[in-house]
Amino acid sequence: MLARLRHLILSTKPQSRSASTRNSNRSTKGLSLPTPEYTMPKTPRPTSNGGIAKSNPYVGAATRKPAKSSASNNNIFKMNTDIGQHILKNPGVAQAIVDKADLKQSDIVLEIGPGTGNLTARILEKAKKVIAVEQDPRMAAEVTKRFQGTPQGKRLELILGDAIKMEKFPYFDVCISNTPYQISSPLTFRLLATSPSPRSCILMFQREFAMRLFAKPGDKLFSRLSVNAQMWAKVDHVMKVGKNNFNPPPQVESNVVRITPKNPRPRVSYDEWDGLLRICFVRKNRVLRQAFLGTTSVMDMLEGNYRTFCAQNDILLDDSPLDPAAAEASMDVDMAPAEEEAEEPSAMDLDDEDDVPSFFKEPAPRVKTPARKARGRVSALVRTKVNKVLTTDTQLENKRARLCDEGDFLRMLVAFNEEGIHFA
């Protein structure tokens, strides 16, 4: 029994590795096992280049999607070119404009249309304070965000609104502006009429508009703007600026000019002076006699002003109707230069059409009728005074506005005022 148990224990004892290997080889010896015909392929790793290996960066370049430009990624909003939003992007030009202003550390600078603040940042480096007037709320928010929390932000005052519609500009020493071209003319007149006058104005204008500031009598671009600018200020050309320096680029080239108001200021009422020029330059190729006596709206305005002048100075007027003989003489004065009316005004005849109020704009030509409104003695008196100023006092009745210089307009204004005729 014991011998049988010992035999069973020994038969169940595990064999060593080498013994089991030898037994396995004996059992498979002489047998041919089939080899595997298919192996699972490895899944290729995805690449970031659309399946192109990194070792060949130029292979398949045409199949890659073009990356978006950084300019489009940084474009926060679309510029509104209808209100003249052309941002000056050239830092060299912006720095040159600020350098030409000769700013002092105590200066208060008025900036019209700061845009995204490219000029504003350079002005704040040299001036005591900047008052920026911006019409677009998006631009105003961008400028505020740019300087918020910075030391320069404490010296920046932002006014949201239209600069032309402001009742009065705050006090400032220098005006610097990348001027929206749509407001170039009214802004220039507004700055020239500002009292006290600023020390200087550095303004960016459309090139043709800038050339009108320098025009002399007889030049094609000579206009009311030319006379006003040269009467009240000295105008200097600073630099030319190409349209590629803006974003988006405008369709015209630009010029930077410096307007330095005369000091002391000419002792002439600006409203009187500009009122006279408005009448003369409605049609700058028309003789002055026709510009005054041949325009009913102008004579009606001068008659109203003369009545106001007489009321303020306690001058009695005889407003009774004219007798037939005097009425005939008055009509002869009106119809004397009738041949001038037949001239067809050219495009260059119209001066500053956008700046001329509707009161001065002549209506479309109508068929003339023989019926005329009966005039009183005051109307005849005003016409006689106007005729005397043009023919006797100044002898400018046959001269055209585009050929008159600053002295001619001054003589005319003095003569009209001496007769009690005013333009404001």
Side-chain angles (χ1 to χ4, degrees), residues 99-209:
D99 293 341
K100 293 295 182 180
D102 296 328
L103 295 178
K104 302 176 182 178
Q105 293 183 352
S106 59
D107 282 342
I108 298 176
V109 179
L110 175 69
E111 185 182 9
I112 307 297
T116 56
N118 294 338
L119 264 175
T120 312
R122 288 166 171 78
I123 298 173
L124 285 170
E125 294 175 357
K126 295 188 175 184
K128 174 183 178 181
K129 181 180 179 181
V130 174
I131 303 174
V133 182
E134 177 56 57
Q135 181 180 3
D136 192 343
R138 303 174 304 165
M139 291 290 188
E142 187 68 18
V143 174
T144 303
K145 179 181 177 181
R146 179 169 182 172
F147 298 100
Q148 190 174 15
T150 64
Q152 292 83 0
K154 299 179 181 179
R155 295 184 286 113
L156 174 63
E157 178 183 347
L158 188 63
I159 300 177
L160 182 61
D162 190 344
I164 304 302
K165 295 180 181 179
M166 291 179 63
E167 183 177 353
K168 185 179 180 181
F169 284 149
Y171 173 81
F172 63 97
D173 300 297
V174 179
C175 178
I176 300 177
S177 173
N178 175 19
T179 312
Y181 294 152
Q182 288 85 344
I183 65 170
S184 296
S185 186
L187 177 62
T188 303
F189 286 122
R190 184 79 183 271
L191 292 174
L192 291 175
T194 299
S195 181
S197 302
R199 189 172 75 248
S200 65
C201 302
I202 310 296
L203 307 173
M204 179 97 69
F205 288 134
Q206 178 182 344
R207 182 158 299 172
E208 182 179 351
F209 181 88

Side-chain angles (χ1 to χ4, degrees), residues 213-235:
L213 296 172
F214 305 103
K216 301 298 180 183
D219 293 347
K220 184 178 181 180
L221 295 177
F222 186 69
S223 64
R224 163 178 157 249
L225 174 68
S226 310
V227 183
N228 253 327
Q230 296 169 25
M231 171 67 179
W232 301 100
K234 178 185 177 184
V235 185

Side-chain angles (χ1 to χ4, degrees), residues 34 74 190 244 267 318 332:
N74 297 330
R190 184 79 183 271
N244 292 328
R267 301 184 63 181
D318 182 8
D332 292 341

Side-chain angles (χ1 to χ4, degrees), residues 393-412:
D393 297 343
T394 63
Q395 299 179 352
L396 294 173
E397 72 277 11
N398 293 321
K399 199 168 184 179
R400 304 176 190 275
R402 66 180 179 85
L403 299 177
C404 295
D405 57 14
E406 181 181 309
D408 293 332
F409 292 114
L410 279 174
R411 289 193 295 116
M412 199 187 311

